[in-house]
Amino acid sequence: MRNILTLLIGVVFGTGIALSGMANPAKVLNFFDIAGTWDPSLAFVMGGALIVTFIGYRFVLKRDHPVYEPAFDIPTKKTLDARLLTGAGIFGIGWGIAGFCPGGALPALGTANPKVILFVAALIAGMLGTRLLMTRMMISRHDLRQAD
Amino acid sequence: METTFTPIASAVGGSLIGLAAVSLMLLRGKIMGATGILAGALRPASSTDWTWRALVLVGMLCGPWIYFAGAGQLPEIVVPSSNVLLVIGGVLVGAGVTLGSGCTSGHGVCGMARLSPRSFAATATFMLTTGVTVYVTRHLFGV
Protein backbone atom coordinates (compact mmCIF):
# COMPACT_ATOMS: atom_id res chain seq x y z
CA MET A 1 0.00 0.00 0.00
CA ARG A 2 2.81 2.38 0.98
CA ASN A 3 4.57 1.80 -2.34
CA ILE A 4 1.39 2.12 -4.41
CA LEU A 5 0.56 5.45 -2.76
CA THR A 6 4.14 6.70 -3.27
CA LEU A 7 3.90 5.81 -6.97
CA LEU A 8 0.52 7.59 -7.15
CA ILE A 9 2.10 10.76 -5.71
CA GLY A 10 4.48 10.74 -8.66
CA VAL A 11 1.54 10.24 -11.03
CA VAL A 12 -0.34 13.21 -9.49
CA PHE A 13 2.78 15.41 -9.74
CA GLY A 14 3.41 14.35 -13.36
CA THR A 15 -0.22 14.94 -14.33
CA GLY A 16 -0.10 18.37 -12.69
CA ILE A 17 3.05 19.24 -14.63
CA ALA A 18 1.52 18.02 -17.91
CA LEU A 19 -1.72 19.94 -17.36
CA SER A 20 -0.04 23.12 -16.09
CA GLY A 21 2.17 23.67 -19.15
CA MET A 22 5.42 23.39 -17.16
CA ALA A 23 6.56 20.59 -19.50
CA ASN A 24 6.36 22.99 -22.45
CA PRO A 25 9.48 25.20 -22.78
CA ALA A 26 7.76 27.54 -25.27
CA LYS A 27 5.13 28.34 -22.62
CA VAL A 28 7.58 28.53 -19.70
CA LEU A 29 9.91 30.90 -21.58
CA ASN A 30 6.98 33.11 -22.58
CA PHE A 31 6.22 33.68 -18.89
CA PHE A 32 9.59 35.37 -18.58
CA ASP A 33 9.28 37.24 -21.88
CA ILE A 34 7.34 40.22 -20.56
CA ALA A 35 8.88 42.40 -23.26
CA GLY A 36 7.71 40.01 -25.99
CA THR A 37 5.16 37.18 -26.30
CA TRP A 38 4.18 37.20 -22.59
CA ASP A 39 2.06 34.31 -21.26
CA PRO A 40 1.28 34.74 -17.53
CA SER A 41 0.08 31.10 -17.10
CA LEU A 42 3.10 30.11 -14.97
CA ALA A 43 1.97 32.49 -12.23
CA PHE A 44 -1.20 30.40 -11.92
CA VAL A 45 0.86 27.20 -11.67
CA MET A 46 3.01 28.65 -8.89
CA GLY A 47 -0.01 30.23 -7.21
CA GLY A 48 -2.08 27.02 -7.24
CA ALA A 49 0.83 24.89 -6.05
CA LEU A 50 1.82 27.34 -3.29
CA ILE A 51 -1.68 27.79 -1.87
CA VAL A 52 -2.33 24.03 -1.68
CA THR A 53 1.13 23.24 -0.28
CA PHE A 54 1.11 26.11 2.24
CA ILE A 55 -2.27 25.08 3.68
CA GLY A 56 -1.55 21.34 3.47
CA TYR A 57 1.84 21.63 5.20
CA ARG A 58 0.19 23.54 8.13
CA PHE A 59 -1.87 20.45 8.92
CA VAL A 60 0.68 17.76 8.01
CA LEU A 61 3.60 19.25 9.94
CA LYS A 62 1.52 19.37 13.15
CA ARG A 63 1.76 15.57 13.23
CA ASP A 64 4.43 13.84 15.30
CA HIS A 65 5.66 11.90 12.29
CA PRO A 66 4.62 11.00 8.72
CA VAL A 67 2.24 8.09 8.19
CA TYR A 68 4.89 5.62 6.98
CA GLU A 69 8.13 7.04 8.44
CA PRO A 70 9.48 7.68 11.95
CA ALA A 71 10.30 11.37 11.27
CA PHE A 72 9.93 14.25 8.81
CA ASP A 73 12.99 14.81 6.63
CA ILE A 74 13.12 18.60 6.23
CA PRO A 75 16.12 20.90 5.61
CA THR A 76 16.96 22.79 8.80
CA LYS A 77 19.47 25.32 7.43
CA LYS A 78 18.17 28.90 7.64
CA THR A 79 21.16 31.07 6.72
CA LEU A 80 21.90 32.25 3.19
CA ASP A 81 25.28 31.53 1.68
CA ALA A 82 27.13 32.22 -1.56
CA ARG A 83 26.76 28.62 -2.72
CA LEU A 84 22.94 28.76 -2.54
CA LEU A 85 22.67 32.06 -4.40
CA THR A 86 25.33 31.19 -7.00
CA GLY A 87 23.62 27.86 -7.66
CA ALA A 88 20.18 29.45 -7.95
CA GLY A 89 21.62 32.10 -10.30
CA ILE A 90 23.25 29.47 -12.55
CA PHE A 91 20.06 27.38 -12.52
CA GLY A 92 18.09 30.39 -13.75
CA ILE A 93 20.51 31.02 -16.61
CA GLY A 94 20.15 27.38 -17.71
CA TRP A 95 16.36 27.49 -17.32
CA GLY A 96 16.23 30.66 -19.42
CA ILE A 97 18.34 29.02 -22.15
CA ALA A 98 16.61 25.62 -22.29
CA GLY A 99 13.11 26.36 -20.97
CA PHE A 100 13.02 23.15 -18.91
CA CYS A 101 13.40 22.94 -15.13
CA PRO A 102 13.96 19.48 -13.58
CA GLY A 103 10.34 19.13 -12.37
CA GLY A 104 9.03 20.08 -15.81
CA ALA A 105 11.37 17.80 -17.75
CA LEU A 106 11.19 14.56 -15.72
CA PRO A 107 7.46 13.90 -16.30
CA ALA A 108 7.88 14.99 -19.95
CA LEU A 109 10.44 12.19 -20.29
CA GLY A 110 7.43 9.84 -20.28
CA THR A 111 6.59 10.97 -23.83
CA ALA A 112 10.07 9.84 -25.06
CA ASN A 113 10.41 13.19 -26.86
CA PRO A 114 14.07 13.24 -28.13
CA LYS A 115 14.57 16.89 -27.04
CA VAL A 116 13.47 16.01 -23.50
CA ILE A 117 15.81 13.00 -23.43
CA LEU A 118 18.69 15.24 -24.58
CA PHE A 119 17.93 17.83 -21.90
CA VAL A 120 17.61 15.26 -19.09
CA ALA A 121 20.90 13.60 -20.15
CA ALA A 122 22.62 17.02 -19.97
CA LEU A 123 20.88 17.74 -16.66
CA ILE A 124 22.15 14.49 -15.10
CA ALA A 125 25.65 15.12 -16.51
CA GLY A 126 25.61 18.59 -14.95
CA MET A 127 24.40 17.25 -11.60
CA LEU A 128 26.93 14.41 -11.40
CA GLY A 129 29.81 16.55 -12.71
CA THR A 130 29.11 19.31 -10.20
CA ARG A 131 28.83 16.86 -7.32
CA LEU A 132 32.16 15.32 -8.31
CA LEU A 133 33.83 18.75 -8.42
CA MET A 134 32.31 19.72 -5.07
CA THR A 135 33.56 16.50 -3.45
CA ARG A 136 37.06 17.00 -4.93
CA MET A 137 37.18 20.61 -3.70
CA MET A 138 36.12 19.56 -0.22
CA ILE A 139 38.81 16.86 -0.19
CA SER A 140 41.53 19.27 -1.36
CA ARG A 141 40.46 21.85 1.24
CA HIS A 142 40.65 19.09 3.85
CA ASP A 143 44.16 18.18 2.67
CA LEU A 144 45.27 21.82 2.90
CA ARG A 145 43.96 22.04 6.43
CA GLN A 146 45.82 18.89 7.38
CA ALA A 147 49.02 20.28 5.83
CA ASP A 148 48.76 23.23 8.23
CA MET B 1 6.31 32.25 -30.56
CA GLU B 2 2.88 32.94 -29.04
CA THR B 3 1.39 30.46 -26.55
CA THR B 4 -2.22 30.42 -25.31
CA PHE B 5 -2.91 31.85 -21.84
CA THR B 6 -4.36 28.93 -19.82
CA PRO B 7 -5.19 30.22 -16.31
CA ILE B 8 -7.58 27.40 -15.36
CA ALA B 9 -5.54 24.44 -16.65
CA SER B 10 -2.41 25.97 -15.11
CA ALA B 11 -4.06 26.63 -11.73
CA VAL B 12 -5.53 23.09 -11.64
CA GLY B 13 -2.16 21.65 -12.70
CA GLY B 14 -0.44 23.73 -10.02
CA SER B 15 -2.91 22.50 -7.41
CA LEU B 16 -2.13 18.88 -8.36
CA ILE B 17 1.59 19.66 -7.92
CA GLY B 18 0.67 21.02 -4.47
CA LEU B 19 -1.44 17.94 -3.69
CA ALA B 20 1.54 15.71 -4.55
CA ALA B 21 3.83 17.84 -2.33
CA VAL B 22 1.44 17.65 0.65
CA SER B 23 0.85 13.89 0.16
CA LEU B 24 4.56 13.10 0.00
CA MET B 25 5.11 15.02 3.24
CA LEU B 26 2.11 13.37 4.92
CA LEU B 27 2.98 9.80 3.92
CA ARG B 28 6.80 9.77 3.67
CA GLY B 29 7.90 13.03 5.31
CA LYS B 30 9.85 14.12 2.22
CA ILE B 31 10.17 17.32 0.21
CA MET B 32 8.64 17.03 -3.29
CA GLY B 33 11.65 18.51 -5.05
CA ALA B 34 12.53 17.10 -8.47
CA THR B 35 16.23 17.89 -7.95
CA GLY B 36 16.50 16.22 -4.54
CA ILE B 37 14.52 13.15 -5.58
CA LEU B 38 16.57 12.65 -8.76
CA ALA B 39 19.92 13.37 -7.08
CA GLY B 40 19.16 10.87 -4.32
CA ALA B 41 18.01 8.25 -6.84
CA LEU B 42 21.31 8.61 -8.74
CA ARG B 43 23.26 7.93 -5.56
CA PRO B 44 20.95 6.51 -2.90
CA ALA B 45 21.85 6.32 0.77
CA SER B 46 20.16 2.91 1.17
CA SER B 47 17.82 0.59 -0.72
CA THR B 48 14.69 1.88 1.07
CA ASP B 49 15.84 5.43 0.31
CA TRP B 50 16.11 4.45 -3.35
CA THR B 51 12.70 2.74 -3.55
CA TRP B 52 10.50 5.74 -2.71
CA ARG B 53 12.48 7.97 -5.08
CA ALA B 54 12.25 5.46 -7.95
CA LEU B 55 8.50 5.06 -7.36
CA VAL B 56 7.88 8.83 -7.47
CA LEU B 57 10.02 9.17 -10.62
CA VAL B 58 8.26 6.28 -12.41
CA GLY B 59 4.90 7.78 -11.39
CA MET B 60 5.96 11.13 -12.88
CA LEU B 61 6.59 9.50 -16.27
CA CYS B 62 2.93 8.38 -16.32
CA GLY B 63 1.73 11.99 -15.96
CA PRO B 64 1.65 12.85 -19.68
CA TRP B 65 -0.29 9.62 -20.34
CA ILE B 66 -2.94 10.45 -17.73
CA TYR B 67 -3.21 13.78 -19.53
CA PHE B 68 -3.51 11.83 -22.79
CA ALA B 69 -6.37 9.73 -21.36
CA GLY B 70 -8.28 12.92 -20.53
CA ALA B 71 -7.38 15.22 -23.42
CA GLY B 72 -6.99 12.70 -26.24
CA GLN B 73 -3.50 13.99 -27.02
CA LEU B 74 -0.14 14.27 -25.29
CA PRO B 75 0.72 17.63 -23.69
CA GLU B 76 2.33 20.07 -26.10
CA ILE B 77 6.13 20.18 -25.84
CA VAL B 78 7.61 22.87 -28.06
CA VAL B 79 11.33 23.48 -27.59
CA PRO B 80 12.40 26.79 -29.13
CA SER B 81 16.12 26.22 -28.35
CA SER B 82 18.58 24.44 -30.65
CA ASN B 83 20.03 21.11 -29.48
CA VAL B 84 23.34 22.78 -28.62
CA LEU B 85 21.62 25.37 -26.42
CA LEU B 86 19.45 22.64 -24.90
CA VAL B 87 22.57 20.75 -23.79
CA ILE B 88 24.28 23.91 -22.49
CA GLY B 89 21.08 24.83 -20.64
CA GLY B 90 20.74 21.30 -19.26
CA VAL B 91 24.29 21.23 -17.89
CA LEU B 92 23.83 24.69 -16.33
CA VAL B 93 20.52 23.64 -14.75
CA GLY B 94 22.17 20.48 -13.38
CA ALA B 95 25.11 22.44 -11.97
CA GLY B 96 22.90 25.19 -10.56
CA VAL B 97 20.37 22.97 -8.80
CA THR B 98 23.18 20.87 -7.31
CA LEU B 99 25.03 23.92 -5.92
CA GLY B 100 21.79 25.63 -4.91
CA SER B 101 20.23 22.46 -3.41
CA GLY B 102 16.94 22.73 -5.28
CA CYS B 103 14.83 23.92 -8.17
CA THR B 104 11.37 25.27 -8.89
CA SER B 105 9.55 22.45 -7.06
CA GLY B 106 11.90 22.11 -4.07
CA HIS B 107 12.58 25.81 -3.39
CA GLY B 108 9.77 27.52 -5.32
CA VAL B 109 6.90 25.37 -4.04
CA CYS B 110 7.87 23.26 -1.00
CA GLY B 111 10.47 25.63 0.48
CA MET B 112 8.41 28.80 0.11
CA ALA B 113 5.31 26.97 1.43
CA ARG B 114 7.19 26.26 4.66
CA LEU B 115 8.48 29.85 4.70
CA SER B 116 12.16 28.92 4.40
CA PRO B 117 14.31 32.06 4.00
CA ARG B 118 16.81 30.12 1.87
CA SER B 119 14.05 29.05 -0.53
CA PHE B 120 12.68 32.61 -0.83
CA ALA B 121 16.19 33.87 -1.65
CA ALA B 122 16.88 31.03 -4.10
CA THR B 123 13.52 31.46 -5.88
CA ALA B 124 13.92 35.23 -6.18
CA THR B 125 17.43 34.69 -7.56
CA PHE B 126 16.57 32.09 -10.19
CA MET B 127 13.40 33.88 -11.31
CA LEU B 128 15.51 37.00 -11.83
CA THR B 129 18.35 35.29 -13.71
CA THR B 130 15.87 33.33 -15.85
CA GLY B 131 14.09 36.57 -16.79
CA VAL B 132 17.36 38.34 -17.58
CA THR B 133 18.56 35.35 -19.65
CA VAL B 134 15.33 35.24 -21.67
CA TYR B 135 15.51 39.00 -22.26
CA VAL B 136 19.16 38.86 -23.33
CA THR B 137 18.79 35.83 -25.63
CA ARG B 138 15.52 36.94 -27.23
CA HIS B 139 15.78 40.70 -27.41
CA LEU B 140 19.51 41.44 -27.52
CA PHE B 141 20.77 38.40 -29.45
CA GLY B 142 17.51 37.46 -31.18
CA VAL B 143 17.88 33.69 -30.55
Side-chain angles (χ1 to χ4, degrees):
Chain A
M1 194 60 194
R2 184 181 71 162
N3 285 347
I4 294 169
L5 287 174
T6 306
L7 180 79
L8 267 178
I9 291 170
V11 175
V12 171
F13 182 88
T15 309
I17 290 289
L19 186 61
S20 68
M22 289 297 292
N24 186 4
K27 195 167 176 67
V28 171
L29 291 172
N30 273 349
F31 174 75
F32 293 99
D33 196 7
I34 302 166
T37 50
W38 192 45
D39 176 354
S41 304
L42 191 70
F44 289 76
V45 185
M46 284 291 276
L50 266 175
I51 291 167
V52 172
T53 311
F54 180 82
I55 297 171
Y57 273 10
R58 295 306 89 152
F59 290 100
V60 169
L61 294 174
K62 275 191 191 132
R63 295 173 56 95
D64 290 333
H65 59 85
V67 175
Y68 293 120
E69 309 286 341
F72 289 106
D73 185 6
I74 294 171
T76 48
K77 218 169 168 183
K78 296 260 188 287
T79 50
L80 306 184
D81 51 53
R83 199 188 114 181
L84 173 81
L85 299 177
T86 309
I90 294 172
F91 161 45
I93 296 170
W95 195 17
I97 291 173
F100 281 119
C101 60
L106 291 176
L109 207 52
T111 66
N113 180 311
K115 292 254 185 188
V116 182
I117 295 172
L118 187 63
F119 173 82
V120 174
L123 168 76
I124 290 175
M127 288 171 75
L128 294 178
T130 306
R131 195 155 63 184
L132 196 69
L133 279 175
M134 282 162 63
T135 319
R136 288 237 175 114
M137 281 166 73
M138 265 190 277
I139 290 168
S140 61
R141 224 180 282 157
H142 182 71
D143 288 346
L144 282 175
R145 240 182 276 139
Q146 286 199 322
D148 290 342
Chain B
M1 194 194 106
E2 296 268 352
T3 50
T4 320
F5 176 47
T6 53
I8 295 170
S10 289
V12 174
S15 305
L16 288 177
I17 295 168
L19 178 66
V22 174
S23 309
L24 190 63
M25 188 59 78
L26 173 67
L27 299 182
R28 312 300 304 256
K30 307 289 185 192
I31 299 280
M32 183 75 238
T35 297
I37 292 175
L38 177 62
L42 293 172
R43 201 174 62 179
S46 64
S47 67
T48 46
D49 177 65
W50 187 80
T51 309
W52 76 266
R53 295 168 188 277
L55 286 167
V56 173
L57 289 171
V58 169
M60 280 187 196
L61 302 179
C62 307
W65 296 98
I66 302 290
Y67 178 95
F68 180 86
Q73 59 185 43
L74 282 170
E76 199 174 26
I77 301 173
V78 179
V79 184
S81 318
S82 67
N83 285 346
V84 173
L85 284 177
L86 204 55
V87 169
I88 294 171
V91 171
L92 288 175
V93 170
V97 297
T98 304
L99 277 173
S101 326
C103 56
T104 328
S105 46
H107 281 310
V109 177
C110 299
M112 295 219 298
R114 52 182 197 89
L115 307 177
S116 154
R118 283 172 59 85
S119 291
F120 273 98
T123 308
T125 306
F126 67 65
M127 293 301 272
L128 180 74
T129 55
T130 309
V132 169
T133 305
V134 170
Y135 184 82
V136 169
T137 52
R138 287 198 173 176
H139 299 286
L140 299 185
F141 291 106
V143 175

